[in-house]
Amino acid sequence: MNVLFLSIAGVGDLKGQGIYGDLLKTFRDHGHAVYAVDPQEQGADLPTKCEDVEGVKILRVRTGNLQKCGLVEKGISQLRLERQFLSAIERHFAGVHFDLILYPTPPTTLGGLVGKLKREHGAMTYLLLKDIFPQNSLDLGMLSERGLRGLAYRYFKRTERRTYEVSDFIGCMSEANRRYLVEHEPWIDAEKVEVNPNSLIPRDMPDVDKIALRERLGIPADARLFTYGGNLGKPQAIDFLIRVLRLNEARDGVFFAVAGTGTERHLLEEYFEEERPERAKLLPLLPRKDFDSLLRASDCGVVLLDHRFTIPNFPSRILSYLQAGIPYVAATDNASDVGTLAEAEGFGVRVGSVDEPRFLEACESLSPEELRRMGAAGRRYFEGNCTAEHSYRLIMEHVND
């Protein structure tokens, strides 16, 4: 079977781990021919090219800038993306008949391309729903239902619907995601919507000298270390995090490490520069190997979601915590189930992302024994529910029907 993967996020480092790359490698390992199309942004100043990486044919298409640029430039680039992808596919994958098309959101703007390829190839289409856009941007005030931003919102609602319409099946990250989609888009056939969580190919985590690693990073050896890693943008409630860090300075026993990059990182940099906290450390975005080592030296992970969200989110970063065998404390909105699932399965704690004292109390209340027990439960849950093999089999059940 020939599988085509379309994304603006890219497949990632196929020699390492990633939710898309691991799924494609699993298809490859089951004997399927895998093709992927990634954008190669204009800023990189590289031409369109096709290459074989770890047995996956990756078509890197020269496009406009899609990240780290202004909203107008990003919008124009997304509008041109379908035509650029289609032209490159017709030129470089001519003669290839695709049986299955996989594509994640974001964006919602590839529905027209998916529909055209579906008709031409008779392929099955499977959407990996990784965010619910544009509602998430409406929640955070980045879009509006009125004015000029209202025009953008209505346009993206149309592209969202087109993407759902062209999808034979939709895999959601969690039960709350699935339920939200079915309830808020009742015209979608609920039978084609299922839970297909973020997943990885499991691997053993490296042994580390915790004391030496903490000493190198300037983290106290005897503190209970709570680590956040990943995007530091508007969805991650960075203002809440800063208030937590400030409040924690007057307490004892808990130390926070924050590693990542994003549009709101500058707020953290300003806080660390101005107030120089002694019970927190701000780190850059770490390579996966270094971040995994940091997690092995940590006692618990941290999940952050802005309290304004009305759509359920399920950050892929939790896979790193579960794989490392550490639990997490989730400060979230009321819609997401990333925290309630952790509590139900025994590998985490949830609080609202508006209650800084309660968040710190939750961190302080976890004993070393509880942290170890919950971490082991998380690793078991990961191996039973969040593997790329599990995601692969869910998709293939539809192919084989």
Side-chain angles (χ1 to χ4, degrees), residues 207-222:
D207 290 327
V208 299
D209 185 331
K210 294 184 179 181
I211 294 177
L213 188 145
R214 289 190 180 196
E215 182 178 2
R216 188 169 73 249
L217 295 177
I219 297 172
D222 60 345

Side-chain angles (χ1 to χ4, degrees), residues 18-66:
I19 59 174
Y20 301 137
D22 281 15
L23 180 59
L24 297 187
K25 287 186 289 187
T26 301
F27 271 93
R28 176 205 64 192
D29 292 345
H30 280 276
H32 304 291
V34 181
Y35 301 78
V37 182
D38 285 356
Q40 190 150 257
E41 296 187 33
Q42 181 177 329
D45 197 27
L46 294 170
T48 296
K49 64 177 180 180
C50 188
E51 55 187 351
D52 190 292
V53 181
E54 297 290 305
V56 175
K57 293 180 177 61
I58 301 180
L59 176 56
R60 305 192 190 279
V61 181
R62 182 179 174 88
T63 67
N65 293 318
L66 297 161

Side-chain angles (χ1 to χ4, degrees), residues 35 43 61 110 112 146 162 268 340 344 358 361 374 376 389:
Y35 301 78
V61 181
L110 293 180
R146 291 184 290 274
R162 182 171 61 178
L268 282 162
T340 52
R358 176 70 186 93
E361 288 166 8
M374 295 168 75
E389 181 68 24

Side-chain angles (χ1 to χ4, degrees), residues 11 14 67 75 170 177 200 216 218 245 257 332 344 372-373:
V11 299
L14 288 172
Q67 300 178 45
I170 301 173
N177 281 163
L200 296 171
R216 188 169 73 249
L245 299 181
T332 76
R372 286 191 293 270
R373 174 178 55 78

Side-chain angles (χ1 to χ4, degrees), residues 290-346:
D290 293 341
F291 184 68
D292 286 346
S293 295
L294 174 61
L295 292 184
R296 292 291 285 169
S298 301
D299 298 291
C300 192
V302 174
V303 175
L304 299 168
L305 288 171
D306 192 287
H307 72 278
R308 292 172 292 175
F309 278 124
T310 64
I311 54 103
N313 290 284
F314 211 90
S316 60
R317 179 58 69 182
I318 73 161
L319 297 181
S320 298
Y321 304 148
L322 300 181
Q323 182 170 243
I326 63 173
Y328 59 79
V329 178
T332 76
D333 52 82
N334 291 326
S336 299
D337 58 349
V338 62
T340 52
L341 174 66
E343 290 188 328
E345 297 292 339

Side-chain angles (χ1 to χ4, degrees), residues 167-193:
S167 301
D168 292 318
F169 298 96
I170 301 173
C172 301
M173 294 183 292
S174 72
E175 174 56 28
N177 281 163
R178 187 202 66 78
R179 190 167 56 247
Y180 180 94
L181 190 63
V182 170
E183 290 176 357
H184 288 79
E185 305 290 348
W187 59 270
I188 298 178
D189 180 3
E191 293 297 315
K192 78 176 191 179
V193 185

